[in-house]
Structures are given as structure tokens and as C-alpha cells.
Amino acid sequence: MTANFVARQLNFTMTRGWGEGDTATSEFFRPEETFAERFDTMLGEIVALGFSAIDLWASHLSPSWATERQIREAAEILARRRLSVSSLAFYVPNDLAVIDRAAAIAKACGTRIIGGGCRDGVLEGNRREFLAALEKHDLIFGFENHPEKSVEELLAKIGDAVGGRIGLAVDTGWFGSNRCDAPDAIRRLSNRIVHVHLKDVLDPSVQSGHKDIRESAPDRNPTLKDMGHETCVLGDGVVGIRQCVAALKEIGYKGGISIEHEPEDRNPLPDVKLSLARLNQWLAE
């Protein structure tokens, strides 16, 4: 998951929430003249860890700024590095032109899945137009759970599958932060899962202050830790990742699995390397 690098351009000192890292990342990768070198360097680090696929975060190749040259260069670098793209991690706006641009990026990178959240009533008031765009470009949207606290709440939000075009990009870490049993949720959501963000989190009850910050200062941009969502090495948190992997096997899931870990105060690569080793062991069991 290239979003693991959200704090990198801030020297791993991200103190003002996700948007701070998102903005810094886009600003770093946006210049056309330096894009290819910077994108290639990032992918080289990922390959060195042993990965054969990525979940491409849109801030590394954004529909809002990516040029034809940058999209072409990204596709060429991915091919040279022999990396496939499992999904384009993209927060979908209520803007068909931006969705069309995201579709062009997804197609160039060889994926049909857009995984992420959405805003402005995309799944409610503008569902018909959104579905038409998905069908036009032969895409699948995987809605990523964040605040939803139950399987029922999540299913109510995404509605019916409409021919398989709308499913779930399950985020196991947010299930953990919201006290939802992630392995059980995977089993219950089995036929709607199109992508998996495998993420572990520390016990939110011992992450001091996060409840007070959310309740007393709702206008502040909280850090992930503020929100009780401090990610960690797979297996070191409260989610039950090993059981999640077992549940994915039980339901016969064959899609992409992303290792997601976004520390705000350190380089995630050593932790991600250990997580990959553990995941490969669990998959082999």
C-alpha cells in the first residue's frame, strides 16, 4: 500500500492529520520533470521488500494533476519493475470528470478496482450516475470502511451490488478501532469483498487522549493516533490478523491483499517487511 508513505515527505513527523501528509505527497510527486525518477525510486524500495503488487494511492498519481506523460511513465515503470496494481486507492468525489481521469489511470496501470471512500452523496443521491461511470469504464468500486461500527451499517451504506460493480475494500484496522470483530465481519461480508486492506492497530483504549480530542475539538485535524487508530506490525495489535487470514481462506477469497501500515512518526518499511513475512507464513499454513 503506497499510502504507507503518507508521512514520508514530512520526515515522518505528521502532526496535523492525514490531510497534511496527503498534501505534502501530492506536492512532491506532482512536478512532471521529476515524477518518473521519484516514482521509480519508491517502487524500487517496494520491490526490494519482496512485493509483486501494489495498492497505488492516488496521491502518488492523482486524477487531479496526473498528465498523460506521467500516466504513461508510471505504467512503463510498473512494467519494468514487474509490479502489478491491485487497486487504485482513491477518495471518490461527486465529479464525473475526475472519475473519468481516475479510470484512465486505473486502465493504464492494469487494474479494474478503485478502492476507497466517497463524498457528496456519491452512493446515495448520485448512485445512478456513478454506476454509469463504473460501467462505462468497466470498473469495480470497493468502498472502504472507516467510521462504520457494524456489518449492518456498512451494508446499508453501500446498498446492493448492482451487477458486481459496488463491493467492499475491507479495512481490518478500522474494524479493530471500532470494536467490530474483523474475522467475523469478513465471513459475513464474503460475497461483497473485492479487495482487502490488511491492517492491525494497537488497543485504542490505551491510546491516551483520542476520545477527548474527537469530542472536545471536532474542528481540529486529528492524527490517526488521536483517533485511536495507531497502526502496527501485523499480528502485534488487537485485530486478530491471523484469524482474518484464516477467514479469507474459508470464504475462498482470491483477490488482492494490501499490507497497510501508516505510522506518523517513523519509516514503515522495517515493520512492513516483517508483516509481509508473517503474512506469507499464515497464507502458507
Side-chain angles (χ1 to χ4, degrees):
M1 163 66 84
T2 69
N4 292 342
F5 292 123
V6 62
R8 168 169 274 184
Q9 298 341 125
L10 300 168
N11 296 315
F12 298 107
T13 308
M14 192 168 77
T15 60
R16 291 181 290 175
W18 185 270
E20 182 186 21
D22 188 344
T23 298
T25 302
S26 273
E27 289 177 351
F28 183 76
F29 281 86
R30 182 171 186 162
E32 190 175 62
E33 63 275 12
T34 55
F35 172 79
E37 179 182 1
R38 292 173 175 180
F39 193 74
D40 185 51
T41 297
M42 178 181 70
L43 296 192
E45 293 177 282
I46 292 169
V47 169
L49 291 179
F51 286 94
S52 59
I54 61 169
D55 196 333
L56 179 59
W57 183 36
S59 292
H60 288 123
L61 187 63
S62 175
S64 67
W65 52 255
T67 65
E68 293 298 327
R69 171 183 162 183
Q70 287 170 315
I71 295 172
R72 183 180 67 254
E73 287 175 339
E76 291 171 351
I77 294 166
L78 285 162
R80 177 165 49 79
R81 291 287 187 180
R82 298 184 180 179
L83 278 171
S84 62
V85 176
S86 295
S87 86
L88 178 65
F90 171 57
Y91 204 90
V92 179
N94 186 15
D95 187 328
L96 292 179
V98 176
I99 294 172
D100 285 347
R101 195 62 176 165
I105 294 172
K107 182 177 181 180
C109 294
T111 185
R112 295 176 62 219
I113 296 175
I114 291 178
C118 53
R119 59 167 65 91
D120 303 330
V122 170
L123 288 179
E124 297 88 8
N126 296 289
R127 187 181 183 87
R128 181 177 298 179
E129 292 82 358
F130 181 47
L131 178 59
L134 294 176
E135 292 179 339
K136 171 185 174 183
H137 298 292
D138 191 23
L139 294 175
I140 296 170
F141 176 61
F143 178 80
E144 183 178 2
N145 57 292
H146 273 204
E148 294 78 21
K149 293 179 172 58
S150 69
V151 167
E152 292 75 16
E153 182 182 358
L154 189 53
L155 289 174
K157 179 165 288 188
I158 67 169
D160 64 85
V162 287
R165 293 291 178 191
I166 298 177
L168 293 165
V170 165
D171 186 316
T172 60
W174 278 108
F175 278 142
S177 290
N178 290 319
R179 308 291 190 181
C180 179
D181 186 321
D184 178 66
I186 287 171
R187 293 184 182 94
R188 295 174 63 191
L189 295 167
S190 61
N191 65 336
R192 300 299 302 274
I193 298 174
V194 300
H195 193 58
V196 174
H197 295 177
L198 208 59
K199 183 200 296 179
D200 211 347
V201 296
L202 300 179
D203 187 345
S205 68
V206 299
Q207 296 176 44
S208 61
H210 68 87
K211 289 185 178 179
D212 291 338
I213 287 171
R214 285 194 289 178
E215 294 170 4
S216 65
D219 295 331
R220 173 184 156 175
N221 293 322
T223 64
L224 294 173
K225 188 174 181 179
D226 288 338
M227 296 188 289
H229 193 71
E230 186 173 1
T231 63
C232 62
V233 175
L234 296 182
D236 284 0
V238 299
V239 172
I241 296 296
R242 191 171 188 166
Q243 292 77 15
C244 287
V245 173
L248 289 169
K249 290 182 179 181
E250 288 175 27
I251 67 173
Y253 177 73
K254 301 297 183 183
I257 298 176
S258 231
I259 294 177
E260 186 170 3
H261 173 41
E262 297 132 346
E264 297 157 304
D265 59 356
R266 66 190 185 280
N267 189 333
L269 290 185
D271 289 349
V272 171
K273 184 176 182 179
L274 177 55
S275 291
L276 179 60
R278 290 181 178 180
L279 176 56
N280 282 332
Q281 178 184 339
W282 297 330
L283 288 169
E285 289 176 348

